[in-house]
């Protein structure tokens, strides 16, 4: 299994509080991704990183920010959590671009976030 | 733009029966296609991937999928279902961009296997 850990694994917080989720990898992969999973929506990309300090928005980035100061860590921050951000959050990593190779994304175990 | 449609949010089969999970894609460029499986309270695990080398792709746990360009389909099959196949399955298509390759996921199909 790819070395990907997420912390915390479960979190309950209140509306309006800041929350930071951490993804840590030991694979030295270049690309990292944050998804949220909601019933009926599958997985939707929030933000991704294509290198240290290089990040970009996905399809559902409003209300989220990210940072990547080291290859191994990718942080997802909810500046002011809302109930609509209650979800399961997954981190993923990949090494090569698909166009240049056949790599797939490897997923972490997920973080279940509840915003009351 | 790329997109994926999974027909049927729930599929139920008897143990030993054929498993067929449907996936149709839309892509303006030759696609890379993936099937992932998610067991309860776990992350996603790659089952198989199509990268244009062969239209019939074999994956783990006895699953396979066939790429049909004329039908824009990439259906997942397994000849004989096992109880351990009960899980949620996601089809995904690659979406090329200037700085990375994103995956566009379908909404998932939950497979139930009855004894």
């Amino acid at each position: 299994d790819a070395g990907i850990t997420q912390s915390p694994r479960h979190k309950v917080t209140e509306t309006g509080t800041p929350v930071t989720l951490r993804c840590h990898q030991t694979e030295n992969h270049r690309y990292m991704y944050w998804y949220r999973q909601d019933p009926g929506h599958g997985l939707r990309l929030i933000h991704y990183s294509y290198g240290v300090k290089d990040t970009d928005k996905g399809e559902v980035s409003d209300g989220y920010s990210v940072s990547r100061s080291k290859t191994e860590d990718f942080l997802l921050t909810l500046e002011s959590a809302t109930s609509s951000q209650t979800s399961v959050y997954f981190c993923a990593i990949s090494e090569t671009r698909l166009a240049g190779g056949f790599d797939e994304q490897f997923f972490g175990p997920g973080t279940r976030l509840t915003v009351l | 733009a790329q997109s994926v449609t999974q027909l049927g949010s729930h599929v139920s089969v008897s143990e030993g029966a054929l498993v067929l999970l449907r996936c149709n894609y839309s892509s303006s460029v030759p696609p890379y296609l993936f099937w992932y499986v998610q067991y309860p309270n776990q992350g996603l695990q790659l089952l198989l991937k199509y990268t244009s080398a062969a239209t019939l792709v074999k994956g783990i746990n006895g699953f396979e999928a066939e790429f049909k360009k004329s039908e824009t389909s990439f259906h997942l099959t397994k000849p004989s279902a096992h109880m351990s196949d009960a899980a949620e399955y996601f089809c995904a298509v690659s979406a090329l961009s200037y700085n990375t390759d994103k995956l566009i996921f379908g909404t998932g199909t939950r497979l139930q296997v009855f004894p």
Side-chain angles (χ1 to χ4, degrees):
Chain A
D1 290 344
I4 310 170
T5 56
Q6 293 185 230
S7 59
R9 294 292 313 279
H10 302 270
K11 186 170 182 66
V12 179
T13 190
E14 294 188 350
T15 298
T17 60
V19 176
T20 295
L21 308 183
R22 180 184 184 229
C23 177
H24 179 77
Q25 60 146 328
T26 58
E27 306 296 322
N28 201 35
H29 282 7
R30 177 180 178 184
Y31 302 99
M32 299 186 75
Y33 310 82
W34 276 109
Y35 293 89
R36 61 178 290 174
Q37 183 180 23
D38 304 289
H41 291 277
L43 277 80
R44 292 178 292 174
L45 182 64
I46 304 172
H47 281 281
Y48 63 95
S49 170
Y50 49 98
V52 173
K53 299 186 179 180
D54 292 323
T55 65
D56 207 347
K57 297 179 179 179
E59 64 176 306
V60 290
S61 60
D62 287 349
Y64 302 94
S65 62
V66 291
S67 66
R68 191 172 179 197
S69 59
K70 298 184 291 184
T71 298
E72 58 265 36
D73 289 325
F74 192 32
L75 304 181
L76 176 70
T77 298
L78 291 65
E79 301 291 346
S80 178
T82 67
S83 58
S84 64
Q85 294 176 312
T86 293
S87 187
V88 181
Y89 291 85
F90 287 98
C91 175
I93 65 174
S94 68
E95 177 52 30
T96 58
R97 295 193 61 176
L98 290 167
F102 302 143
D103 202 9
E104 69 266 23
Q105 293 183 16
F106 300 93
F107 284 80
T111 293
R112 184 173 296 275
L113 176 66
T114 302
V115 183
L116 302 176
Chain B
Q2 286 79 9
S3 66
V4 165
T5 301
Q6 290 185 243
L7 300 176
S9 59
H10 290 82
V11 171
S12 298
V13 299
S14 298
E15 191 172 22
L18 171 71
V19 176
L20 171 60
L21 305 183
R22 300 177 185 274
C23 173
N24 288 89
Y25 71 91
S26 172
S27 179
S28 55
V29 298
Y32 292 97
L33 293 159
F34 303 80
W35 275 101
Y36 282 85
V37 60
Q38 184 182 32
Y39 298 103
N41 299 313
Q42 294 186 25
L44 277 70
Q45 178 184 358
L46 182 71
L47 269 180
L48 49 80
K49 58 187 177 185
Y50 167 75
T51 55
S52 76
T55 57
L56 183 61
V57 182
K58 294 186 182 300
I60 62 172
N61 301 338
F63 284 92
E64 62 182 37
E66 186 172 9
F67 172 72
K68 292 187 177 180
K69 184 178 179 180
S70 61
E71 300 178 6
T72 61
S73 69
F74 190 58
H75 302 331
L76 182 71
T77 60
K78 182 174 181 178
S80 177
H82 192 272
M83 296 294 290
S84 61
D85 294 327
E88 190 155 23
Y89 293 79
F90 293 93
C91 182
V93 64
S94 61
L96 302 179
S97 69
Y98 70 98
N99 56 17
T100 191
D101 296 328
K102 307 172 190 177
L103 287 181
I104 306 298
F105 285 87
T107 53
T109 298
R110 186 168 299 278
L111 176 66
Q112 285 186 306
V113 182
F114 294 101

